[in-house]
Amino acid sequence: MTGLAISLVLAAALIHASWNYLLKKSGGGIGFVWAFAAFSTLAYAPLAAGVVVLQHFQLSAEALAFIVASAVLHTAYYLLLDRGYRYGDLSVVYPLARATGPFLTVLVAVAFLGERPGIVALCGAALVVGGAFFLAASPAKLREAGAARGVAFAILTGCMIASYTVVDKQAVSAVFIPPLLQDWGANLGRVILMAPLAWRRREDVKAAWTRQRKAVVLVALLCPLSYILVLTAMVFTPVSYVAPAREISILFAALMGAHWLREGDVPRRVASAAAMALGVLALALG
């Protein structure tokens, strides 16, 4: 990976962990998820319009298909992630979901996209993913009430991560959809897909905006930014490198869970963090 790709991915990782912390702390819910998606769509609309004008982008049927597919997968991702946080700790659900995603992504990239990462890069990916699984597999946490449901939702979330990562990689590198536009279009699609559910839960949407407005706005701004940085890196970097490297966000989320949410288990976090840091270094060298 180039220095630019590493910089983009690391910045995205910190931002990604931050908005997940805010989602977990807020209590989430359908109302919150739809509220921040709607606000995000409005906030980034001028930038999306600017990209269309400046890059003379024309929406083809193929591009629309990729945007719709991404919207469907991202909708499932956010709903599953929100449910996971209701049952499990940030320090369990987040790393398990984020580790499952790149593990499956690398397999798909090698099997179907023709990518051939070197042995050093593969070892790096294994360290990142392995460190994440080790962090999530805390015996004490897994014995807590509701932990099994949290783990199940985390794994399903990881499947969605792998799916939308592969779709979006093709969208920005093969179909040449600008990263910001790909993310904005998928976000708009998510707002539309969730609109009937949000209407039935309109009191929850109103409550989220009234009581958690600051968190809604912050997540709405940070969530797209983190993924736009990742999409930009994927334009010129194999997804089998980017997908594992971005999971250094697990380290940031684990630290937030330990220090701000008081989820404990510091030795396990330190060991996992060391493995993931070595993994990212190997990806950079590979």
Side-chain angles (χ1 to χ4, degrees):
M1 290 178 69
T2 64
L4 176 58
I6 284 287
S7 298
L8 289 170
V9 169
L10 289 179
L14 179 58
I15 296 170
H16 193 277
S18 298
W19 76 252
N20 272 263
Y21 164 76
L22 291 169
L23 176 61
K24 170 65 177 178
K25 186 179 179 182
S26 72
I30 298 299
F32 187 95
V33 172
W34 191 86
F36 87 71
F39 187 88
S40 180
T41 302
L42 292 174
Y44 280 85
L47 294 176
V51 169
V52 171
V53 173
L54 293 176
Q55 298 191 21
H56 306 288
F57 179 77
Q58 295 183 343
L59 185 64
S60 64
E62 184 180 22
L64 180 60
F66 272 95
I67 291 173
V68 171
S70 183
V72 172
L73 293 170
H74 272 90
T75 298
Y77 160 73
Y78 284 109
L79 292 176
L80 290 168
L81 181 65
D82 176 64
R83 291 297 296 274
Y85 283 152
R86 293 197 191 186
Y87 293 111
D89 282 347
L90 175 68
S91 54
V92 173
V93 174
Y94 188 89
L96 191 54
R98 301 310 309 180
T100 303
F103 174 73
L104 295 175
T105 300
V106 171
L107 292 180
V108 172
V110 172
F112 299 105
L113 300 184
E115 295 186 6
R116 294 294 181 265
I119 187 64
V120 175
L122 285 174
C123 289
L127 280 170
V128 174
V129 174
F133 275 118
F134 179 69
L135 179 61
S138 168
K141 293 295 182 183
L142 295 178
R143 284 196 298 267
E144 293 178 355
R149 288 187 178 183
V151 167
F153 280 116
I155 293 174
L156 289 173
T157 301
C159 293
M160 294 303 104
I161 292 171
S163 300
Y164 74 62
T165 300
V166 172
V167 167
D168 289 341
K169 163 63 177 176
Q170 292 298 99
V172 300
S173 65
V175 186
F176 304 112
I177 304 173
L180 189 146
L181 200 57
Q182 172 69 11
D183 182 77
W184 185 83
N187 197 42
L188 174 62
R190 179 158 55 93
V191 171
I192 294 171
L193 288 171
M194 290 183 63
L197 185 58
W199 176 252
R200 290 198 296 271
R201 305 279 187 87
R202 53 188 178 276
E203 291 302 319
D204 293 342
V205 175
K206 182 179 179 180
W209 181 249
T210 302
R211 302 170 188 170
Q212 300 279 351
R213 185 172 304 175
K214 183 178 179 180
V216 167
V217 172
L218 285 174
V219 174
L221 296 177
L222 294 176
C223 180
L225 177 59
S226 67
Y227 197 54
I228 289 168
L229 294 175
V230 169
L231 290 176
T232 302
M234 286 200 293
V235 170
F236 57 89
T237 309
V239 69
S240 54
Y241 285 60
V242 174
R246 68 179 296 217
E247 303 320 327
I248 197 66
S249 62
I250 296 167
L251 167 61
F252 301 131
L255 293 174
M256 292 174 186
H259 293 287
W260 294 339
L261 298 180
R262 301 187 182 280
E263 293 176 353
D265 207 4
V266 175
R268 180 180 295 274
R269 298 172 198 278
V270 172
S272 300
M276 287 185 285
L278 287 174
V280 171
L281 179 61
L283 284 166
L285 295 175

